[in-house]
């Protein structure tokens, strides 16, 4: 919906964008692809993916994502199981956390997750019987009462009380069967003490050629008889008091289970469904990598396909593919906001600097609305994309860097060319070690204000590289270090044209080309380390660099943050050393975040600092870093992980994108970029309906302007200063009461009163 308002004192048009979320709200950006498991819940099909969980509503055909943003307790869902009698959906996570979902309400059971257990700790499968969920775990069979939400018992069933890994379980008449890593075990359900291993019996009556000590991944009751997966491609059956080979296939079995009294055997590109009347259904159309499949109550077949996501079949005929939007995978290495787009470099390298061989290509979140991606083949076959740079004067021009594959140019998101040694006059030099076949390891890219593209090239004699706006290439040595033996990381250009780069494990360098790319005779280099007079870094292990709005250089290390407040003095002969920020802790002072490893720093529209750490989540600090505004962790927020990889900010909307080791999540902050003049001012929401209780954002204002809100009679009800280009009103008047129904005027003025604006907000109470 678009709403147009006339300003009283200017002729601007205000456009509200429907995709904006509330101030202070979170959005997940998980890759709801690579499906692995499905479960029917009434009229919904729940689907587990590699990094997420969603459900398809068969009534309204909607796709609904589930994550920590809307109530889940954790990330990395592994399995589901539904109890139709009590309408409980059991959600099992890879770390053994458990959620019980019932009618939109979630109850968390973290006992197994928090229990100290030696060795492997996983929940492999679930079987419901009455009100009890039997959890097949790596350390035993756990019984969870889903009415009381309590774990009531744990059966350790191995011989002599040894722990065996339980992969699956099922029931038949008066017996419970388990498939374990060391064979099949059986017990009577009437035995009052199944926690005693002596009441469990290992099955040893196996036919010729079968090993009763084998590992059994799946076991199921079909038509009153017990079937189990043996080895990779054999199904065995218990008959005539023996376990016998029943079916032998020429392909690996991915899953064996029963659904609506039919036996499902799932292969990579085929589903075979066996019925009690002897009929066999075969489904293969459109399937490429099936992990799981079920019937629903209407008789339709649903398939979790790792490559094709969620597939639906009417009988054996392909009917529908459900493919939720999102980044292609959860991999994140670098984030970049370009105008109103977010770009993701999903590649990377190991700590040893060896390739991880990531062929994800690159992802982008277009216009803050729709996810799309460029596959490796669509960007010239590039792999391990580790950095992105956009031309700040031509947003359609964008570059990707590959760890070993050079620099890729895109125009309007379409591949143009790959720059390497041969088409850069040797400026992009290959790695200076033997047997590497022309590798070019570009760790970072950035533009300067003259539209020159700068790159840093590891293990090259001339590691600093530039392409000017005429497509001419130059490269430079960094005096004082051997570029051919050093790795480099982040690269930035400050407002004085100086290039700052991270030397892995060895501090920083600053390079000044004196404004002439062609002539390097007068260029200067300054190495920065932990010595006084040489930069005074708290540590030589530097992870990130960022320039704030006052041209201060913020540096993240494994011992916190330090700031260069006078970068213009680096080559002056005067003191340019960095300074750590001293903060007050009770009666004592300490340096800001000096016990944290700082992995990334981002600057928002109000010049505040968003700090991503390794293990402690995200900090939002005031402009000077002395005040903590927020500290988000996975414990107190929907943040997926406390290990932060990168942060990028859309300063148009104020949305902060946080890349974690478990995917991307975003938070809409209360700050946007400010302007010299009021520009495309937006008010969200507008009108403010009675059902809305969040904050009202006024965006597109003059930088740090004074904002006054009055009623239609001119009575002042609220006043504040904008955070950059955005002011926030909680919808309340001075008495603390919610504003009554009516039109309210917003007056915005810059510091000297030369730039003013009046707009309107409609409150409906």
């Amino acid at each position: 919906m678009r709403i147009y308002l006339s300003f009283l004192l200017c002729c601007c048009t205000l456009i509200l964008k429907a995709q904006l979320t509330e101030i202070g709200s979170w959005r997940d950006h998980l890759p709801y692809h690579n499906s692995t498991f499905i479960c029917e819940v009434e009229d919904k099909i729940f689907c587990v993916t590699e990094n997420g969980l969603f459900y398809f509503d068969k009534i309204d055909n909607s796709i609904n994502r589930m994550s920590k943003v809307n109530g889940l307790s954790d990330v990395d869902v592994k399995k589901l199981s539904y109890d139709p009698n009590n309408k409980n959906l059991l959600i099992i996570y890879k770390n053994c956390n458990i959620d019980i979902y019932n009618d939109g309400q979630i109850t968390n059971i973290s006992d197994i997750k928090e229990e100290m257990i030696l060795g492997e700790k996983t929940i492999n499968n679930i079987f419901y019987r009455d009100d009890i969920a039997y959890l097949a775990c790596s350390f035993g069979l756990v019984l969870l009462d889903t009415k009381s939400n309590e774990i009531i018992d744990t059966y350790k069933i191995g011989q002599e009380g040894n722990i065996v890994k339980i992969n699956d379980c099922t029931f038949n008449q008066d017996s419970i069967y388990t498939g374990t890593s060391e064979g099949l075990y059986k017990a009577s359900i009437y035995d009052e003490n199944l926690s005693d291993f002596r009441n469990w019996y290992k099955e040893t009556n196996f036919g010729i050629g079968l090993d009763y000590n084998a590992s059994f991944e799946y076991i199921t009751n079909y038509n009153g008889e017990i079937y189990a997966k043996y080895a990779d491609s054999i199904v065995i059956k218990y008959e005539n008091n023996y376990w016998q080979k029943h079916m032998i296939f020429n392909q690996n079995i991915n899953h064996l289970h029963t659904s609506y009294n039919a036996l499902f055997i799932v292969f990579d590109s085929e589903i075979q469904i066996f019925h009690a009347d002897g009929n066999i259904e075969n489904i293969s159309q459109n399937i490429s990598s099936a992990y799981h499949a079920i019937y629903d109550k209407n008789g339709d077949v649903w398939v979790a396909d790792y490559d094709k996501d969620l597939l639906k079949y009417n009988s054996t005929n392909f009917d529908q593919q459900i493919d939720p939007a999102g980044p292609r995978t959860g991999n994140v290495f670098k984030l970049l906001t370009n105008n109103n787009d977010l770009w993701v470099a999903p590649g990377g390298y190991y700590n040893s600097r060896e390739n991880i061989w990531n062929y994800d290509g690159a992802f982008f979140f277009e216009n803050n609305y729709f996810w799309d991606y460029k596959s490796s083949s669509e960007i010239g076959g590039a792999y391990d994309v580790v950095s992105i740079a956009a031309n700040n004067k031509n947003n359609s021009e964008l570059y990707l860097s590959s760890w070993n594959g050079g620099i890729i140019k895109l125009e309007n998101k379409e591949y143009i060319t790959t720059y390497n040694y041969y088409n850069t006059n040797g400026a992009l030099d290959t790695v200076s070690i033997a047997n590497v076949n022309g590798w070019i390891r570009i760790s970072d890219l950035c533009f300067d204000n003259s539209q020159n593209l700068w790159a840093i090239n590891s293990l090259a004699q001339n590691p600093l590289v530039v392409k000017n706006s005429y497509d001419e290439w130059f490269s430079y040595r960094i005096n004082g270090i051997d570029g051919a033996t050093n790795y480099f990381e982040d690269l930035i250009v400050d407002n004085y044209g100086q290039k700052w780069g991270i030397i892995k494990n060895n501090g920083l360098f600053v390079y000044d080309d004196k404004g002439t790319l062609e002539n390097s005779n007068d260029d200067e280099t300054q190495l920065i380390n932990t010595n006084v007079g040489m930069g005074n870094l708290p540590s030589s292990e530097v992870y990130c660099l960022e320039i704030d709005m006052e041209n201060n250089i913020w540096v993240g290390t494994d011992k916190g943050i330090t700031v260069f407040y006078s970068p213009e003095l680096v080559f002056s002969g005067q003191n340019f050393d960095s300074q750590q920020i001293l903060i007050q802790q009770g009666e004592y002072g300490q340096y800001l975040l000096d016990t944290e490893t700082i992995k990334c720093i981002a600057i928002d529209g109000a010049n505040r600092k968003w700090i991503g750490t390794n293990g402690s989540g995200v900090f939002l600090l005031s402009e000077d870093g002395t005040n903590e505004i927020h500290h988000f962790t996975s414990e107190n927020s929907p943040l997926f992980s406390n290990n932060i990889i990168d942060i990028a900010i859309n300063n148009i909307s104020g949305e902060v994108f946080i890349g974690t080791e478990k995917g991307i999540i975003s938070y809409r902050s209360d700050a946007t970029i400010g302007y010299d003049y009021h520009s495309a001012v937006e008010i969200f929401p507008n009108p403010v309906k009675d059902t809305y209780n969040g904050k009202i954002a006024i965006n597109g204002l003059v930088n740090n302007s004074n904002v006054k809100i009055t009623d239609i009679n001119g009575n002042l009800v609220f006043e504040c200063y904008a955070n950059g280009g955005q002011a926030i009103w909680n919808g309340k008047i001075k008495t603390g009461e919610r504003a009554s129904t009516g039109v309210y005027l917003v007056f915005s003025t810059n510091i000297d009163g030369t730039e003013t604006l009046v707009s309107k907000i409609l409150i409906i109470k």
Side-chain angles (χ1 to χ4, degrees), residues 72-95:
L72 293 188
S73 301
D74 220 316
V75 294
D76 291 335
V77 177
K78 182 178 182 180
K79 288 288 176 66
L80 306 169
S81 186
Y82 183 61
D83 173 17
N85 295 324
N86 296 305
K87 299 188 182 303
N88 287 327
L89 174 66
L90 208 63
I91 303 172
I92 303 293
Y93 299 93
K94 292 177 183 177
N95 63 2

Short mmCIF file of all heavy atoms in Angstrom, two decimals, residues 72-95:
data_model
loop_
_atom_site.label_atom_id
_atom_site.label_comp_id
_atom_site.label_asym_id
_atom_site.label_seq_id
_atom_site.Cartn_x
_atom_site.Cartn_y
_atom_site.Cartn_z
N LEU A 72 10.66 -19.57 17.95
CA LEU A 72 11.44 -20.78 18.21
C LEU A 72 12.56 -20.48 19.20
O LEU A 72 13.05 -19.35 19.29
CB LEU A 72 12.04 -21.32 16.91
CG LEU A 72 11.07 -21.87 15.86
CD1 LEU A 72 11.85 -22.54 14.73
CD2 LEU A 72 10.07 -22.85 16.46
N SER A 73 12.96 -21.50 19.92
CA SER A 73 13.95 -21.30 20.97
C SER A 73 15.38 -21.41 20.47
O SER A 73 16.31 -21.04 21.19
CB SER A 73 13.74 -22.33 22.09
OG SER A 73 12.46 -22.20 22.64
N ASP A 74 15.56 -21.96 19.28
CA ASP A 74 16.92 -22.25 18.84
C ASP A 74 16.97 -22.24 17.31
O ASP A 74 16.01 -21.89 16.63
CB ASP A 74 17.37 -23.60 19.40
CG ASP A 74 18.82 -23.59 19.86
OD1 ASP A 74 19.66 -23.03 19.12
OD2 ASP A 74 19.11 -24.13 20.94
N VAL A 75 18.11 -22.64 16.78
CA VAL A 75 18.32 -22.76 15.34
C VAL A 75 18.78 -24.17 15.02
O VAL A 75 19.09 -24.96 15.92
CB VAL A 75 19.37 -21.74 14.85
CG1 VAL A 75 18.87 -20.33 15.02
CG2 VAL A 75 20.69 -21.91 15.61
N ASP A 76 18.83 -24.50 13.74
CA ASP A 76 19.28 -25.81 13.26
C ASP A 76 18.32 -26.92 13.69
O ASP A 76 18.68 -27.81 14.48
CB ASP A 76 20.70 -26.13 13.74
CG ASP A 76 21.75 -25.26 13.10
OD1 ASP A 76 21.49 -24.77 11.99
OD2 ASP A 76 22.81 -25.06 13.70
N VAL A 77 17.10 -26.89 13.14
CA VAL A 77 16.13 -27.95 13.39
C VAL A 77 16.60 -29.23 12.71
O VAL A 77 17.12 -29.20 11.59
CB VAL A 77 14.73 -27.56 12.89
CG1 VAL A 77 13.73 -28.69 13.09
CG2 VAL A 77 14.25 -26.29 13.60
N LYS A 78 16.42 -30.36 13.38
CA LYS A 78 16.84 -31.65 12.82
C LYS A 78 15.66 -32.54 12.46
O LYS A 78 15.59 -33.08 11.36
CB LYS A 78 17.76 -32.37 13.81
CG LYS A 78 18.29 -33.70 13.30
CD LYS A 78 19.24 -34.34 14.30
CE LYS A 78 19.79 -35.66 13.75
NZ LYS A 78 20.72 -36.30 14.71
N LYS A 79 14.71 -32.74 13.37
CA LYS A 79 13.59 -33.65 13.15
C LYS A 79 12.32 -33.08 13.75
O LYS A 79 12.34 -32.23 14.65
CB LYS A 79 13.88 -35.03 13.77
CG LYS A 79 14.94 -35.84 13.04
CD LYS A 79 14.43 -36.36 11.71
CE LYS A 79 15.50 -37.10 10.92
NZ LYS A 79 15.96 -38.33 11.53
N LEU A 80 11.18 -33.60 13.28
CA LEU A 80 9.86 -33.23 13.78
C LEU A 80 9.05 -34.50 14.02
O LEU A 80 9.28 -35.53 13.37
CB LEU A 80 9.10 -32.37 12.76
CG LEU A 80 9.76 -31.11 12.22
CD1 LEU A 80 8.94 -30.58 11.05
CD2 LEU A 80 9.87 -30.06 13.31
N SER A 81 8.07 -34.40 14.91
CA SER A 81 7.10 -35.48 15.06
C SER A 81 5.82 -34.89 15.64
O SER A 81 5.88 -34.05 16.54
CB SER A 81 7.64 -36.59 15.97
OG SER A 81 6.74 -37.69 15.99
N TYR A 82 4.67 -35.34 15.13
CA TYR A 82 3.39 -34.76 15.53
C TYR A 82 2.53 -35.79 16.23
O TYR A 82 2.39 -36.93 15.77
CB TYR A 82 2.66 -34.21 14.32
CG TYR A 82 1.36 -33.52 14.65
CD1 TYR A 82 1.33 -32.40 15.47
CD2 TYR A 82 0.14 -33.99 14.14
CE1 TYR A 82 0.14 -31.76 15.78
CE2 TYR A 82 -1.05 -33.35 14.43
CZ TYR A 82 -1.05 -32.24 15.26
OH TYR A 82 -2.23 -31.61 15.56
N ASP A 83 1.96 -35.40 17.35
CA ASP A 83 1.00 -36.21 18.10
C ASP A 83 -0.39 -35.64 17.85
O ASP A 83 -0.76 -34.62 18.44
CB ASP A 83 1.35 -36.18 19.59
CG ASP A 83 0.28 -36.87 20.44
OD1 ASP A 83 -0.53 -37.62 19.88
OD2 ASP A 83 0.28 -36.65 21.67
N PRO A 84 -1.21 -36.25 16.99
CA PRO A 84 -2.52 -35.68 16.65
C PRO A 84 -3.50 -35.71 17.82
O PRO A 84 -4.45 -34.92 17.84
CB PRO A 84 -3.00 -36.56 15.49
CG PRO A 84 -2.25 -37.84 15.64
CD PRO A 84 -0.93 -37.49 16.24
N ASN A 85 -3.30 -36.60 18.78
CA ASN A 85 -4.23 -36.68 19.91
C ASN A 85 -4.15 -35.44 20.78
O ASN A 85 -5.17 -34.89 21.20
CB ASN A 85 -3.94 -37.93 20.74
CG ASN A 85 -4.19 -39.21 19.97
OD1 ASN A 85 -5.12 -39.28 19.16
ND2 ASN A 85 -3.36 -40.22 20.17
N ASN A 86 -2.91 -35.01 21.07
CA ASN A 86 -2.72 -33.83 21.92
C ASN A 86 -2.34 -32.59 21.12
O ASN A 86 -2.13 -31.52 21.69
CB ASN A 86 -1.63 -34.10 22.97
CG ASN A 86 -2.04 -35.19 23.93
OD1 ASN A 86 -3.08 -35.12 24.56
ND2 ASN A 86 -1.21 -36.23 24.03
N LYS A 87 -2.26 -32.76 19.78
CA LYS A 87 -1.92 -31.66 18.87
C LYS A 87 -0.58 -31.02 19.22
O LYS A 87 -0.39 -29.80 19.15
CB LYS A 87 -3.04 -30.62 18.84
CG LYS A 87 -4.38 -31.18 18.36
CD LYS A 87 -5.41 -30.09 18.18
CE LYS A 87 -6.75 -30.66 17.76
NZ LYS A 87 -6.69 -31.46 16.53
N ASN A 88 0.37 -31.86 19.60
CA ASN A 88 1.72 -31.39 19.92
C ASN A 88 2.66 -31.70 18.76
O ASN A 88 2.73 -32.84 18.30
CB ASN A 88 2.26 -32.09 21.17
CG ASN A 88 1.61 -31.58 22.44
OD1 ASN A 88 1.25 -30.42 22.53
ND2 ASN A 88 1.47 -32.46 23.43
N LEU A 89 3.37 -30.69 18.31
CA LEU A 89 4.44 -30.89 17.34
C LEU A 89 5.76 -30.79 18.09
O LEU A 89 6.07 -29.76 18.69
CB LEU A 89 4.40 -29.84 16.23
CG LEU A 89 5.58 -29.88 15.25
CD1 LEU A 89 5.56 -31.16 14.43
CD2 LEU A 89 5.57 -28.65 14.34
N LEU A 90 6.52 -31.87 18.05
CA LEU A 90 7.82 -31.89 18.71
C LEU A 90 8.88 -31.44 17.71
O LEU A 90 9.01 -32.00 16.63
CB LEU A 90 8.12 -33.31 19.20
CG LEU A 90 9.04 -33.45 20.42
CD1 LEU A 90 8.39 -32.81 21.63
CD2 LEU A 90 9.32 -34.92 20.69
N ILE A 91 9.62 -30.39 18.07
CA ILE A 91 10.68 -29.84 17.23
C ILE A 91 12.01 -30.14 17.89
O ILE A 91 12.28 -29.68 19.00
CB ILE A 91 10.51 -28.32 17.03
CG1 ILE A 91 9.13 -28.02 16.42
CG2 ILE A 91 11.62 -27.75 16.15
CD1 ILE A 91 8.79 -26.53 16.37
N ILE A 92 12.84 -30.91 17.20
CA ILE A 92 14.12 -31.33 17.75
C ILE A 92 15.23 -30.57 17.03
O ILE A 92 15.28 -30.53 15.80
CB ILE A 92 14.34 -32.84 17.57
CG1 ILE A 92 13.20 -33.62 18.24
CG2 ILE A 92 15.70 -33.27 18.11
CD1 ILE A 92 13.14 -33.51 19.73
N TYR A 93 16.16 -29.99 17.80
CA TYR A 93 17.29 -29.27 17.23
C TYR A 93 18.55 -30.13 17.25
O TYR A 93 18.65 -31.10 18.01
CB TYR A 93 17.54 -27.97 18.01
CG TYR A 93 16.37 -27.02 17.98
CD1 TYR A 93 15.41 -27.03 18.98
CD2 TYR A 93 16.22 -26.10 16.95
CE1 TYR A 93 14.33 -26.16 18.96
CE2 TYR A 93 15.15 -25.22 16.92
CZ TYR A 93 14.20 -25.25 17.93
OH TYR A 93 13.14 -24.39 17.91
N LYS A 94 19.50 -29.73 16.42
CA LYS A 94 20.74 -30.51 16.32
C LYS A 94 21.51 -30.54 17.64
O LYS A 94 22.26 -31.47 17.90
CB LYS A 94 21.61 -29.95 15.20
CG LYS A 94 21.03 -30.17 13.81
CD LYS A 94 21.89 -29.54 12.72
CE LYS A 94 21.25 -29.71 11.36
NZ LYS A 94 22.02 -29.04 10.28
N ASN A 95 21.35 -29.50 18.45
CA ASN A 95 22.06 -29.45 19.73
C ASN A 95 21.27 -30.10 20.86
O ASN A 95 21.62 -29.95 22.03
CB ASN A 95 22.41 -28.01 20.10
CG ASN A 95 21.18 -27.14 20.31
OD1 ASN A 95 20.05 -27.60 20.21
ND2 ASN A 95 21.39 -25.87 20.59
#
